[in-house]
Structures are given as structure tokens and as C-alpha cells.
Amino acid sequence: MDKKFFITTPIYYPSAKPHMGHAYSSIAADVIARFKHIQGYDVRFLTGTDEHGLKIQKAAESDNKNPKDFCDEISETFINLTKTLNLSNTDFIRTTENRHKETVQKLWSVLEKNDQLYLSKYAGWYSVSDEAYYSEDEIDEIEGKKIAKSSGSVVEWMEEESYFFKLSEWEKPLLDFYKNNPNFIKPESRKNEVVSFVSSGLKDLSVSRTTFNWGIPVPNNKKHVMYVWLDALTNYVSSTDYFNNHNGFWPANVHIIGKDILRFHAVYWPAFLLAANLPLPKQIFGHGWILSGEEKMSKSKGNILDPIKLIEEFGSDEIRYYLMKDVIFGLDGKINLENFKTTINDLANNIGNLSNRIFTILQKNYECKIPHVSSNHTVNSSLIIDIKKLIKFMDNYEIHNYVKEIHFYSSAVNKYVNDNEPWNKKTNSDQNIQNILFSSLFALRNIFILLYPIMPKVCEVFLKNMNINKPLLNLVNTDLKKGEQISKPDLLFKKYD
Ligand code: MSP
């Protein structure tokens, strides 16, 4: 297999247990990874935890733990979440691992060798919660507190010796890069945001700290630990073992991130890479937020939906389907239980019902075998899905449209079944019935292949019942073998009151 595809999620802060926002980033990345998989790519899918920095050190202190023990504990809950969400990740990186520390120190040395770093003093605003520096015009004062306008988090004044990265030198090369690679930042609105930020001028970036020690030491100056974002962003490269036995996966095809961390990924990260003469990721996609009411779901706001509890109650496939269908990928989306139930009931009434109807007749009259279709039978045009359209949706990360298209397709198949009445022996010859059932079964199998990236569990069960062990995006009817024994799946989708 030579077509490689490398996709990443953000690496999550193990400062508290995972919530729905984290689950959302991971599910979306998994859907894309699995889609590439059924297209026949050799897929590398990376996720992990971002374990250094003052935010984590403080969270550990308030829990009376040393930071490493604290991270071990919470990182474990993120590893468990990959299982709960049924992610197909091929790696899980922790920034406290040696493979990562070595890569970051190597990157630092390359930047130093390329004359991209200098020692000076930082004086300015810093948000521990965002692990971000803010300029005076990005700050507001509310009820006597200084906060960052973009995130609402508290900032504090910081003054200390620091290494600086010559970010200002990369303003023009970055703008040229965005221009020459118009698909680098997606969606378009996010690109505009980044271009306008860079065009307004870049200052050199403080990339080390001396007032705490929970971080990767700067080579040859142990007084300093590296800025957590320089450390964290490098995880994508560490996981490919780039500086040793590079596994061929860098540069990544896409970094899936939330819109709040766009600046780090679309400005700092490409600047570090350009400065180190390393290849840049091909694309960065900034999705929106999952909102609870009107606000971003976050620990500090106390409006968290616990993905683990929800999945225990309703199932991972169902949560994945709901988030992917009802939230427009790229925009903010509100979620609630009522809408969730409506969406899953629609699924059961449409696709679940279709499967049930076809298999009931097959089981009753044809021993649940693939019908003996006549050799001159052609599949009705309403049952041929526009696969190019679906691929385009996925390539543009219009995941919601991809899911909706499958839903329309299933409605068209239901209509075909209604119109042709394969249960009606008065109006149909037996051969006719077998032809109709064959065509409907072909369409039904397509639905479950297409739905596999979204709902892998139920689709695997369905496809196994049809003797398909590995779903591939090869939607032809010639691989349905007449007379082959298949089995009726048990209830596929539950309905809710
Ligand atoms: N550790 C950094 C990322 C480093 S990547 C090199 C970080 N971690 S985080 O845990 O705070 O957030 C990780 C991701 O979860 C971000 O993409 C963020 O946008 C996403 N989400 C957190 N809350 C969210 C919602 N309520 N909705 C959707 N995604 C949000 O940032």
C-alpha cells in the first residue's frame, strides 16, 4: 500500500477529565481517518495528551500530586476515551515520553543553529489557562480583572528572562505561504482570521520560562524550560520519529483542531517549521465549538456534558452519528438530548426500517440467501449513489453533508421498495421479486459501507452478516454472490420516546 494519509487531533491537556468538546475533535478526526481507510489509504491517526506547562503544574499542585503522577492518572482517562469513542488511532503520544522530549530538544537545536533564537527578557500578559501571551489590545478589564478578549480567561503580568523565537522574520514568508497554498487553512473564514492577524504584524515570541520547571529543559541552559506550545506542537513530528528512522508520514495531511487553537497551529507551528527547514503540514482544519446553551462547553464554565456517561447510556455509534450529522463541521453547534433522540429515531425509521423490511422478506421466502437476480437485470438509477459527490463532501470536510446524503439515499431506496412492493406476489413474478430484493440489498450494503466511518460498530456487525470483513469503498453489485448465505442483523438502532 503506498497511498499514505496522516491525520491528527489536538493533544489534550490532562488538567481535568475529558468532556464533549474533546470527544468531538476526536470523533471528527476518526471519521475522516476511517473514510480514508475504506478508500484504501495507509492511515496514520495520532492523538494524545499535552502534559507540560504551568497549567498542568498548577492543576497537579492543587490536587497535592507531583505533576507526572497527576498526568499519568488523567492521561489514562484520555486513553480510555479513545476506546469508549471507538477511535481507530494508530498512536497515542504523551509529551512526557522520551521519544517526544528528544524530538523537541533536537528541534530547539536546529532552530538555534539556524540563528532563530535569542536570549532576552519578556514583560507582558500571560494566560495560564490558555498557555498564551496576549498583547495589550487583546486584553479587557472586567470587574477589576484583566482577561483575554478571545477566551475570557484571566491574564497575569509576567516578567522574566526568556529565549525568543524570531517570529517577526516569518511574517512575509507566512503570508506568501498562505497565498500559494490556498487550502492550507480551512474553513475559509478561519483563513481570513489568520491572514489578518499576521498582516497586522508579528512580534518575536517568548519560547522559554524560568519561573517554574514542569517542562522540557532547554539544551545547554537548564534554568529554562520550553514554552509549552513549542513543546506540544512538535508532538506531530515526534510521533513520526522524523529525526531518526522517519516512518514516512511527516508532513501530516491534516491537523484537526478547534478554532480556539488556530493561531498556534496556523501561525506559530508553520513558522517554527519554516525556520527549521522542515516540511509543513498540508492542511489545518479549525472546527467550531460544541455549545451548551450559548456558551462554549468547558470545565471552568461548569457546563460539561460527560461523553462517557452519554455513551454508556446511548452507545458510541449513536453519539458519533448525532454529532456528525447535527453539528455543521466548521461551525459552532448546540447539542441537547431531545435533538439527539429525534436524530436517532429518524435513523431507525429510515435505515433501520429499510434493513428490517428487506431482511424480513429474504428470511421468510429465500432462506436469507442473496437473491438469484436475472443476468439482464440492471439496478434502477435511483439506487446508484453519486460516490464522487460523497468523496467531495469528505475531502472538503463537509461531514454533515456526507451523512445527510446517505440519509437521502436511504430514503430513495425506501421509496424504491414501496413503489416495487417485493412482498406483492400478485403484481410481481418471483424473478421480479428477486431482482427487486437484489437491488435493494445492494443499496443497503452500500449504505452500511458508507456509514462505516461514522458508525463503525453497527456497520461492522451488519457487514459481517453479509460476509464482508473489511469495508472498502468499492460500491459495485458484482461482488454480491447469488445464492450466498447471509444473516438478518438483530435490531440495529434503538428508538427513544
Ligand atoms: N493542549 C492544547 C492543544 C495542543 S495541540 C498541539 C489544548 N488542549 S485542550 O484540551 O484545551 O483542547 C483540545 C481541543 O479540544 C481543542 O481543539 C479545543 O478546541 C477542543 N475543545 C475544547 N472544548 C471544546 C468545545 N466545547 N467544543 C469543541 N471543541 C472544543 O488546547
Side-chain angles (χ1 to χ4, degrees):
M1 218 179 328
D2 53 1
K3 292 191 294 179
K4 286 184 160 47
F5 189 83
F6 181 24
I7 181 166
T8 67
T9 73
I11 51 169
Y12 305 105
Y13 289 126
S15 53
K17 287 192 181 132
H19 63 71
M20 212 48 173
H22 304 132
Y24 180 68
S25 278
S26 288
I27 291 170
D30 188 55
V31 167
I32 299 160
R34 285 184 190 267
F35 185 75
K36 288 292 165 189
H37 214 82
I38 65 173
Q39 281 188 302
Y41 283 84
D42 179 9
V43 180
R44 187 174 173 82
F45 172 23
L46 174 71
T47 185
T49 39
D50 179 0
E51 306 192 0
H52 292 127
L54 194 51
K55 179 185 174 100
I56 300 292
Q57 181 171 312
K58 284 191 167 170
E61 276 163 10
S62 65
D63 209 21
N64 290 320
K65 299 217 166 79
N66 84 50
K68 181 62 173 52
D69 291 344
F70 179 79
C71 288
D72 285 348
E73 222 170 85
I74 302 192
S75 183
E76 188 69 30
T77 66
F78 280 90
I79 293 174
N80 292 340
L81 185 70
T82 64
K83 307 203 169 92
T84 315
L85 298 176
N86 195 13
L87 302 186
S88 59
N89 59 300
T90 52
D91 195 358
F92 186 102
I93 194 160
R94 300 182 54 189
T95 54
T96 44
E97 287 174 60
N98 278 338
R99 62 170 170 158
H100 174 70
K101 291 192 214 165
E102 282 162 12
T103 311
V104 178
Q105 289 189 322
K106 173 76 191 171
L107 177 67
W108 182 281
S109 312
V110 176
L111 291 174
E112 205 162 41
K113 193 173 104 243
N114 292 356
D115 190 26
Q116 292 295 318
L117 303 171
Y118 62 91
L119 194 59
S120 182
K121 190 176 161 196
Y122 179 80
W125 297 104
Y126 191 78
S127 156
V128 178
S129 168
D130 305 343
E131 294 283 20
Y133 303 95
Y134 290 106
S135 61
E136 205 64 56
D137 56 343
E138 292 176 304
I139 304 290
D140 245 354
E141 187 162 337
I142 294 181
E143 291 163 4
K145 269 193 189 154
K146 298 272 190 192
I147 56 137
K149 285 183 200 163
S150 56
S151 63
S153 58
V154 174
V155 294
E156 51 197 53
W157 187 255
M158 184 186 123
E159 256 185 66
E160 62 190 61
E161 183 184 274
S162 174
Y163 281 93
F164 279 78
F165 168 68
K166 294 181 179 170
L167 183 62
S168 56
E169 281 188 2
W170 296 98
E171 188 179 312
K172 171 88 176 46
L174 280 173
L175 290 171
D176 289 345
F177 184 80
Y178 304 144
K179 201 160 160 207
N180 298 332
N181 298 275
N183 292 323
F184 180 60
I185 306 165
K186 285 281 172 184
E188 203 63 16
S189 57
R190 309 253 182 267
K191 175 166 97 183
N192 301 338
E193 227 174 85
V194 170
V195 169
S196 107
F197 172 73
V198 176
S199 307
S200 70
L202 292 177
K203 290 204 195 83
D204 289 350
L205 180 72
S206 159
V207 286
S208 76
R209 303 284 309 260
T210 52
T211 44
F212 67 93
N213 60 13
W214 182 238
I216 300 181
V218 164
N220 308 322
N221 191 343
K222 299 286 178 270
K223 210 168 94 191
H224 291 252
V225 292
M226 289 182 212
Y227 175 38
V228 65
W229 272 100
L230 171 60
D231 163 347
L233 288 160
T234 308
N235 89 88
Y236 303 129
V237 170
S238 317
S239 94
T240 68
D241 202 14
Y242 190 81
F243 294 116
N244 297 312
N245 305 306
H246 182 215
N247 63 19
F249 277 94
W250 186 257
N253 294 74
V254 63
H255 294 317
I256 300 293
I257 57 163
K259 63 180 183 179
D260 48 330
I261 53 175
L262 192 62
R263 187 182 295 184
F264 306 99
H265 282 82
V267 182
Y268 301 168
W269 182 223
F272 295 150
L273 292 167
L274 284 169
N277 288 320
L278 294 179
L280 269 56
K282 296 195 180 114
Q283 201 169 47
I284 287 154
F285 188 95
H287 64 68
W289 286 337
I290 300 294
L291 303 177
S292 173
E294 300 299 324
E295 287 188 313
K296 180 184 177 215
M297 201 175 281
S298 73
K299 189 190 161 224
S300 51
K301 297 203 167 86
N303 56 4
I304 301 285
L305 265 184
D306 181 342
I308 299 173
K309 280 200 190 126
L310 275 182
I311 287 170
E312 275 169 3
E313 190 170 352
F314 299 107
S316 63
D317 275 350
E318 285 75 2
I319 302 292
R320 292 169 63 112
Y321 182 83
Y322 170 59
L323 289 174
M324 292 301 107
K325 180 160 185 279
D326 279 26
V327 180
I328 298 179
F329 195 50
L331 300 182
D332 292 351
K334 288 181 200 166
I335 59 169
N336 63 55
L337 269 185
E338 210 165 298
N339 290 346
F340 166 78
K341 289 179 181 173
T342 310
T343 298
I344 297 303
N345 287 347
D346 280 353
L347 174 71
N349 290 336
N350 189 349
I351 302 178
N353 196 25
L354 177 66
S355 167
N356 200 32
R357 295 165 87 190
I358 295 169
F359 270 97
T360 302
I361 311 177
L362 278 179
Q363 196 164 43
K364 198 164 147 226
N365 300 333
Y366 300 99
E367 299 168 329
C368 216
K369 290 185 174 157
I370 296 187
H372 284 269
V373 63
S374 44
S375 49
N376 60 354
H377 173 71
T378 47
V379 173
N380 186 287
S381 64
S382 69
L383 303 184
I384 306 290
I385 192 157
D386 185 351
I387 189 68
K388 285 203 184 111
K389 189 173 176 187
L390 281 159
I391 293 175
K392 200 164 164 213
F393 280 149
M394 266 303 180
D395 286 348
N396 291 336
Y397 304 118
E398 294 176 52
I399 304 179
H400 54 287
N401 282 332
Y402 174 90
V403 184
K404 283 179 188 153
E405 196 65 23
I406 301 174
H407 207 71
F408 294 145
Y409 179 53
S410 176
S411 301
V413 186
N414 264 315
K415 179 169 184 315
Y416 169 84
V417 173
N418 287 347
D419 293 349
N420 289 282
E421 305 186 339
W423 55 85
N424 192 339
K425 291 187 184 169
K426 282 193 196 127
T427 52
N428 283 314
S429 67
D430 181 63
Q431 185 58 64
N432 237 349
I433 292 182
Q434 297 219 40
N435 290 350
I436 299 163
L437 287 175
F438 181 90
S439 285
S440 316
L441 190 65
F442 158 70
L444 189 65
R445 185 218 45 189
N446 290 350
I447 290 172
F448 279 88
I449 291 175
L450 291 166
L451 205 57
Y452 164 80
I454 318 281
M455 306 187 84
K457 268 193 192 146
V458 72
C459 293
E460 265 165 14
V461 169
F462 179 92
L463 293 169
K464 280 227 168 76
N465 281 12
M466 290 203 61
N467 309 321
I468 299 169
N469 289 323
K470 189 172 181 279
L472 277 175
L473 203 59
N474 180 22
L475 308 182
V476 290
N477 61 6
T478 43
D479 53 1
L480 288 183
K481 302 278 171 282
K482 294 186 224 179
E484 191 177 88
Q485 185 69 57
I486 52 179
S487 25
K488 185 172 191 279
D490 295 334
L491 179 72
L492 293 167
F493 311 109
K494 266 185 266 159
K495 281 208 227 173
Y496 300 99
D497 294 331

